[in-house]
């Protein structure tokens, strides 16, 4: 027999090769704990940044989900029952602030909640509160390439911000309630989603949320003494510091008084409230107004940088407007001289990066717990790697045996042709004996493969549930990056767990990304 090619069991992963620059950058940040570090996707030199801007909600202000989210949840339920015709039993629903995560996708028409990998493959799916089986999930989302959905509006909605976690929870609860009580809720899943979105949005507009926060901000907003230090350091480093927030001035004043004191405006060169992002980043025709000291509005005309300087002498607070007004007020020549810090993947990061070329820093509060969990569950990650390696070794042996079997059949046929009838009978007998032995070894290897696959799945489930019992890791979907992680890589120049992590870096720090690696770059030396 011709010896088959030597096969080596593939290893699952290899340590990435680091350049000299990578090593020096890693050494420079080694003293900073991973949970409070700033991570770099695209090289950024803070020394070249003229202005640093911040969103307010979930960026400068970190809300307490157990109390803040409950305002929106309870207020939305009250509106759904009292004004939108939902049964009174809905009032008994209970909010779980930790049931869902950012990056999930809502299928409005089918009543499903999905987690996608970076290839848009649905790995985890729930219909309402019920987890879908792999067969159910694949029948809808993995039938063929031609029929695969794009997971974009209007049929789908992505949870881009923590504000939308209330929507996800209430939508899934109402989907299950409709399934269990079809006579009580006759609306379609899509209409339920629209009602939930409308009810939650009303809570942000009619005072249900903001009035409660104004009465007792400490109950709903986490204080951070490092915030003032960070903003001061940026200004002392020569940066213009500004806010662009969708919240109106009265609520902005409540929040920032709580965080920075009565003189909070002294920390900023410019404040734009009621910005209506993402429209602020897209529509060059949106009008801008200046907010007077008494809170009233005055139309502002900004045609030249001189107009901006004149207006800023009167008041640093504006409402509405668009990115052109912002650039004029800051006297920015290019969007690349601006770093914007926000939490909303679409309205803060994706649109500002793609449309205006702003540099971006994404705030990911979940990152801290994700990194701490990774540290605490190294043994689970090691178990997964070991299970992958064991299965790979068996699969390599199985492939080796199957190649030998195919080669044996070919050699037997060739030998029979060369030896004639007498030799053919003898060759056939020897071949059948050898094939029977190989078939036995192949069957044994396949049994081992099934056992090891089952063990691997169990190891993956333990690791998955250590991060979140339903959705697993924020940045991963199985072995692949999640769709949300892919967006972080593409649109966030930097990302970190909390805005005040910036206080650990000088205003002229150069952030450098690790070298990009493809799978063949990770291969071990020959």
């Amino acid at each position: 027999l011709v010896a088959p090619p030597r096969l080596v069991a593939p290893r699952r992963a290899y340590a990435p090769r680091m350049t000299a620059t990578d090593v020096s950058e890693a050494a420079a940040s080694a003293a900073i704990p991973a949970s409070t570090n700033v991570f770099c996707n695209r090289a950024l030199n803070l020394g070249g940044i003229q202005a640093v801007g911040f969103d307010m909600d979930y960026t400068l202000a970190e809300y307490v989900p157990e109390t803040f989210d409950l305002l929106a949840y309870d207020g939305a339920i009250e509106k759904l029952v009292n004004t939108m015709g939902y049964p009174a039993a809905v009032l008994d629903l209970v909010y779980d602030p930790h049931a869902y995560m950012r990056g999930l996708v809502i299928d409005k028409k089918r009543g499903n909640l999905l987690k996608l990998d970076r290839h848009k493959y649905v790995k985890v799916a729930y219909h309402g509160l019920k987890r879908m089986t792999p067969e159910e999930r694949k029948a809808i989302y993995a039938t063929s390439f031609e029929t695969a959905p794009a997971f974009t509006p209007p049929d789908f909605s992505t949870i881009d911000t923590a504000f939308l976690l209330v929507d996800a929870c209430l939508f899934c609860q109402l989907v299950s309630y409709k399934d269990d009580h079809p006579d009580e809720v006759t609306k379609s899943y899509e209409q339920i989603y629209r009602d939930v979105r409308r009810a939650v949005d009303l809570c942000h507009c009619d005072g249900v949320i903001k009035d409660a926060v104004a009465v007792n901000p400490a109950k709903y907003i986490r204080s951070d003494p490092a915030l003032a230090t960070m903003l001061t350091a940026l200004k002392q480093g020569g940066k213009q510091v500004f806010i662009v927030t969708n919240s109106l001035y009265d609520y902005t004043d409540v929040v920032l008084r709580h965080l920075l004191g009565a003189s909070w405006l002294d920390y900023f060169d410019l404040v734009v409230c009621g910005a209506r992002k993402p429209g602020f980043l897209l529509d060059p025709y949106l009008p801008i107004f200046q907010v007077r000291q008494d809170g009233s509005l005055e139309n502002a005309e900004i045609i030249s940088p001189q107009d901006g300087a004149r207006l800023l002498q009167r008041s640093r607070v504006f409402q509405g407007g668009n990115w052109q007004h912002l650039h004029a007020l800051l006297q920015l020549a290019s969007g690349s001289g601006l770093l914007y810090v926000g939490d909303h993947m679409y309205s803060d990061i994706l649109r500002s990066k793609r449309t205006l070329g702003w540099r971006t820093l994404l705030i990911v509060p979940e990152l801290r717990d994700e990194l701490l969990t990774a540290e605490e569950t190294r043994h689970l990650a090691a178990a997964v790697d070991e299970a992958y390696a064991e299965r790979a070794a068996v699969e390599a042996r199985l492939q080796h045996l199957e190649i030998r079997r195919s080669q044996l059949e070919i050699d037997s046929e060739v030998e029979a042709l060369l030896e004639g009838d007498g030799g053919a009978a003898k060759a056939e007998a020897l071949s059948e004996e050898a094939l029977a032995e190989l078939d036995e070894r192949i069957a044994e290897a396949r049994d081992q493969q099934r056992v090891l696959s089952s063990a691997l799945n169990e190891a993956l489930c333990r690791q998955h549930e250590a991060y979140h019992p339903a959705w697993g890791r924020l940045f991963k979907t199985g072995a692949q990056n999640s769709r949300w992680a892919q967006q972080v890589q593409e649109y966030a120049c930097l990302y970190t767990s909390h805005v005040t992590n910036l206080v650990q870096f000088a205003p002229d720090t150069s952030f450098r990304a690790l070298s990009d690696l493809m799978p063949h770059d990770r291969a071990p030396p020959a």
Side-chain angles (χ1 to χ4, degrees):
L1 296 177
V2 176
R6 180 174 176 268
L7 299 173
V8 179
R11 294 167 62 189
R12 178 170 173 257
Y14 305 98
R17 293 171 178 162
M18 300 178 72
T19 66
T21 301
D22 294 338
V23 172
S24 64
E25 290 296 315
S29 62
I32 300 175
S35 58
T36 61
N37 210 335
V38 174
F39 298 93
C40 180
N41 288 315
R42 181 185 174 194
L44 189 153
N45 180 8
L46 280 182
I49 295 296
Q50 175 184 336
V52 180
F54 298 90
D55 180 34
M56 184 181 75
D57 299 306
Y58 284 107
T59 300
L60 293 176
E62 183 180 359
Y63 293 105
V64 180
E66 291 82 0
T67 56
F68 183 80
D69 288 0
L70 203 58
L71 294 174
Y73 181 84
D74 289 345
I77 282 183
E78 185 272 332
K79 288 173 170 57
L80 288 167
V81 173
N82 293 336
T83 65
M84 298 183 184
Y86 285 79
V90 170
L91 294 170
D92 296 328
L93 296 176
V94 178
Y95 179 60
D96 183 353
H98 307 294
Y100 304 97
M101 62 170 54
R102 287 197 290 171
L104 302 179
V105 176
I106 295 174
D107 184 342
K108 303 175 190 177
K109 288 189 174 181
R110 298 181 179 90
N112 298 338
L113 194 61
L114 318 171
K115 188 176 184 186
L116 283 62
D117 69 13
R118 66 189 180 95
H119 303 293
K120 296 185 180 181
Y121 180 80
V122 179
K123 293 284 287 187
V124 183
Y126 276 75
H127 176 72
L129 302 175
K130 180 184 176 184
R131 184 169 181 134
M132 298 172 67
T133 65
E135 293 74 24
E136 292 171 331
R137 167 169 48 85
K138 293 175 183 177
I140 298 174
Y141 301 108
T143 52
S144 70
F145 178 81
E146 291 78 9
T147 60
F151 302 105
T152 55
D155 295 338
F156 297 86
S157 177
T158 302
I159 303 174
D160 284 322
T161 173
F163 277 128
L164 296 177
L165 295 174
V166 171
D167 295 47
C169 182
L170 192 47
F171 176 66
C172 288
Q173 289 174 326
L174 290 176
V175 165
S176 287
Y177 190 91
K178 169 183 169 62
D179 292 344
D180 295 338
H181 309 88
D183 295 334
E184 296 183 34
V185 180
T186 58
K187 298 181 179 183
S188 67
Y189 298 131
E190 190 172 14
Q191 184 59 51
I192 290 174
Y193 174 82
R194 286 197 293 267
D195 290 344
V196 168
R197 182 83 285 278
R198 176 64 175 158
V200 173
D201 195 46
L202 284 172
C203 292
H204 287 279
C205 299
D206 64 7
V208 166
I209 295 173
K210 295 176 181 178
D211 290 351
V213 174
V215 171
N216 186 7
K219 181 179 179 180
Y220 304 102
I221 305 170
R222 293 193 175 104
S223 296
D224 188 345
L227 185 60
T229 304
M230 184 267 295
L231 294 171
T232 301
L234 288 173
K235 293 195 75 171
Q236 290 177 345
K239 312 299 181 191
Q240 293 176 283
V241 180
F242 68 94
I243 293 175
V244 174
T245 174
N246 284 356
S247 294
L248 296 177
Y249 178 71
D250 57 348
Y251 183 70
T252 301
D253 183 58
V254 166
V255 172
L256 293 180
R257 276 179 182 269
H258 171 70
L259 292 172
L260 296 168
S263 301
W264 65 268
L265 194 54
D266 293 341
Y267 290 95
F268 302 98
D269 298 288
L270 174 67
V271 175
V272 180
C273 303
R276 297 175 61 192
K277 295 175 293 180
F280 183 91
L281 308 170
L282 300 172
D283 188 348
Y285 301 106
L286 291 175
I288 190 168
F289 303 90
Q290 193 160 37
V291 180
R292 297 192 181 105
Q293 290 186 353
D294 62 1
S296 62
L297 301 180
E298 179 182 356
N299 186 53
E301 291 290 339
I302 304 176
I303 300 174
S304 68
Q306 291 75 20
D307 294 330
R310 174 179 50 81
L311 289 169
L312 285 170
Q313 289 178 350
R314 289 164 38 187
S315 172
R316 283 172 281 168
V317 183
F318 295 81
Q319 179 173 311
N322 60 71
W323 62 272
Q324 290 181 329
H325 297 131
L326 178 68
H327 284 201
L329 287 165
L330 296 173
Q331 297 187 24
L332 274 176
S334 169
S336 61
L338 187 156
L339 173 64
Y340 190 66
V341 185
D343 72 289
H344 197 300
M345 176 61 75
Y346 183 78
S347 295
D348 292 334
I349 304 300
L350 187 152
R351 283 270 61 99
S352 63
K353 179 72 173 177
R354 180 185 286 178
T355 307
L356 304 176
W358 290 1
R359 309 309 302 274
T360 54
L361 194 166
L362 177 68
I363 301 301
V364 189
E366 307 94 330
L367 181 61
R368 180 180 181 275
D369 287 341
E370 185 119 333
L371 289 168
L372 292 175
T373 301
E375 182 67 26
E376 294 168 357
T377 58
R378 284 188 174 187
H379 63 290
L380 296 179
V384 169
D385 288 341
E386 183 179 353
Y388 268 115
E390 289 180 357
R391 189 180 69 171
V394 169
E395 288 174 340
R397 186 167 72 251
L398 178 60
Q399 184 180 4
H400 181 95
L401 291 170
E402 288 175 338
I403 291 174
R404 285 184 60 188
R405 192 186 192 287
S406 297
Q407 187 66 55
L408 181 61
E409 288 181 325
I410 293 171
D411 290 347
S412 177
E413 292 176 3
V414 171
E415 190 172 345
L417 291 173
L418 295 175
E419 295 293 335
D421 293 341
K426 182 178 179 181
E428 183 178 354
L430 292 173
S431 175
E432 288 180 355
E433 181 179 350
L435 286 173
E437 179 184 351
L438 282 173
D439 286 341
E440 184 177 345
R441 294 172 65 185
I442 288 172
E444 179 183 347
R446 285 177 176 161
D447 288 340
Q448 290 179 331
Q449 182 187 37
R450 282 190 289 270
V451 170
L452 291 172
S453 292
S454 177
L456 173 59
N457 287 336
E458 291 177 5
L460 285 169
C461 285
R462 287 193 294 270
Q463 185 186 38
H464 175 94
E465 293 170 359
Y467 289 85
H468 192 284
W471 305 104
R473 289 184 283 181
L474 176 68
F475 289 89
K476 293 290 183 182
T477 306
Q480 297 286 321
N481 281 352
S482 64
R483 179 175 180 244
W484 196 76
Q486 183 75 3
Q487 291 176 330
V488 173
Q489 282 190 308
E490 289 183 1
Y491 300 112
C493 300
L494 308 173
Y495 64 99
T496 190
S497 62
H498 196 275
V499 66
T500 54
N501 292 342
L502 279 174
V503 81
Q504 303 169 106
F505 300 88
D508 60 350
T509 298
S510 287
F511 293 94
R512 292 188 176 89
L514 292 175
S515 302
D516 289 342
L517 296 176
M518 292 190 67
H520 67 273
D521 296 320
R522 302 175 190 273

